[in-house]
Amino acid sequence: SDFICLPLFIHYICTVVLAYSGGLDTSCILVWLKEQGYDVITFLANIGQDEDFKAAQKKAESLGAKKVFIEDLRSEFVEDFIWPTVQANAVYEDRYLLGTAVARPCIGRRQVEIARREGAQFVSHGATGKGNDQIRFELTCYALYPEVKIIAPWRIPEFYNRFRGRKDLMEYAQKHGIPVPVTPRAPWSMDANLMHISYESGILENPKSHAPADLYQMTKNPEDSPNAPDVLEIEFRNGVPVKVTNEKEGKSKDSPLEIFSYLNEIGGNHGVGRIDIVENRFIGMKSRGNKLK
């Protein structure tokens, strides 16, 4: 709450760049920040998730965003973040290939670039106070924009005491004309990008609960995968893939984004990449999650 600007005591409006997803939480945060007297610039990164970006832009504009930035970061996500993890053979707790962990710094880097360019003194995000994303976003922002101030609503008592659950957010949304989902939310949370989809919370909190078959989106069930293999030749240079060729079909890809996307397609078709783990979060909590690579 120390970061809240109070227009009664200042002669200018503070500008904040909000990492925006278009979902319920960040839409409510957008309106709440405006209530606190901020000019809000929203930033939505395309890192390979299935998203209606035009709808998200219209929604942000309708809720009063001063500016809306939607930027395609897929190529730099592969080249600057995914490939270095491949070079380093970066794996967390022997199994987790860090799909969300490397995506957040990619988003945060562009967020602070926008903040600097727009003269914004503040950045904000919708990460909770219980998970890793708050750390990923904030360390990135502080490293690249040391003087920036970060507004983390889910750690501000005035915010989290007001919004104690989804019901409170829904009521706030209805009161302020924020469009809300018309279909029931899936009984888990999901984070998707080019590198993976991760699922956690809800029914997955109980380790005895098997992940439902309809949860998986990037990979086929191995039982339903083709019996005939695809034969791929991958050429590496300095530890990084520079070309992939499907020897059966004669197809080749040689740009980083095309290579990675094609390998996703082939691997997913063969059921490659599913894991089910209970991981240790940075803050000390344990979290059960299903990951797709």
Side-chain angles (χ1 to χ4, degrees):
S1 59
D2 293 342
F3 297 147
I4 300 300
C5 287
L6 298 176
L8 290 174
F9 302 108
I10 56 179
H11 300 290
Y12 61 92
I13 298 296
C14 294
T15 300
V16 56
V17 178
L18 171 65
Y20 182 73
S21 70
L24 178 63
D25 286 37
T26 53
S27 294
C28 288
I29 288 172
L30 192 170
V31 175
W32 183 81
L33 287 169
K34 286 178 58 63
E35 282 186 339
Q36 311 310 306
Y38 291 96
D39 275 344
V40 182
I41 296 172
T42 59
F43 164 56
L44 175 57
N46 177 2
I47 51 173
Q49 72 274 35
D50 183 15
E51 184 84 50
D52 187 337
F53 294 102
K54 287 186 178 179
Q57 178 175 355
K58 289 180 180 179
K59 185 175 182 179
E61 290 171 344
S62 71
L63 297 178
K66 181 181 178 183
K67 292 184 180 180
V68 178
F69 289 89
I70 298 176
E71 302 198 10
D72 187 345
L73 305 185
R74 290 176 296 169
S75 291
E76 66 184 69
F77 182 36
V78 175
E79 295 176 51
D80 297 345
F81 295 87
I82 296 177
W83 278 175
T85 68
V86 172
Q87 287 176 296
N89 194 27
V91 181
Y92 180 63
E93 295 190 335
D94 297 322
R95 304 190 68 196
Y96 175 32
L97 299 181
L98 301 170
T100 299
V102 297
R104 298 316 191 207
C106 179
I107 297 169
R109 181 173 74 174
R110 183 57 59 89
Q111 184 180 10
V112 297
E113 288 173 1
I114 292 171
R116 284 184 177 277
R117 190 167 69 237
E118 296 295 319
Q121 311 93 328
F122 298 82
V123 295
S124 183
H125 60 74
T128 72
K130 299 184 292 183
N132 289 330
D133 278 345
Q134 59 182 336
I135 311 296
R136 296 162 179 158
F137 277 123
E138 294 175 22
L139 290 183
T140 301
C141 292
Y142 284 135
L144 300 175
Y145 188 3
E147 60 271 32
V148 76
K149 294 180 175 63
I150 294 173
I151 304 171
W154 287 113
R155 297 203 307 267
I156 298 174
E158 291 87 347
F159 186 89
Y160 66 70
N161 286 329
R162 183 174 182 180
F163 303 105
R164 293 183 173 273
R166 186 171 175 82
K167 181 174 179 291
D168 292 338
L169 288 169
M170 293 287 283
E171 289 175 354
Y172 182 82
Q174 291 169 355
K175 178 181 177 181
H176 292 275
I178 301 170
V180 297
V182 295
T183 56
R185 188 175 60 161
W188 52 72
S189 69
M190 181 181 81
D191 177 70
N193 61 50
L194 191 68
M195 191 173 181
H196 83 171
I197 302 179
S198 65
Y199 306 88
E200 61 183 21
S201 303
I203 63 173
L204 301 176
E205 289 291 338
N206 184 349
K208 290 185 177 181
S209 299
H210 291 282
D214 62 348
L215 176 144
Y216 297 102
Q217 297 181 21
M218 289 181 73
T219 61
K220 279 187 178 181
N221 188 322
E223 295 177 353
D224 301 323
S225 297
N227 290 322
D230 279 283
V231 180
L232 305 178
E233 181 181 276
I234 304 176
E235 180 181 341
F236 284 80
R237 188 175 299 132
N238 298 323
V240 170
V242 294
K243 186 177 181 180
V244 60
T245 302
N246 187 319
E247 295 193 344
K248 291 172 63 177
E249 299 180 2
K251 286 184 179 179
S252 290
K253 307 290 182 182
D254 56 14
S255 77
L257 180 56
E258 286 182 330
I259 290 170
F260 194 82
S261 299
Y262 185 62
L263 291 175
N264 269 355
E265 176 188 333
I266 297 298
N269 189 47
H270 287 274
V272 174
R274 296 185 179 189
I275 64 172
D276 190 335
I277 61 174
V278 176
E279 66 181 77
N280 292 288
R281 288 179 173 171
F282 181 88
I283 62 168
M285 295 176 63
K286 289 188 181 292
S287 172
R288 189 273 185 97
N290 296 83
K291 319 286 184 181
L292 301 182
K293 306 296 183 291

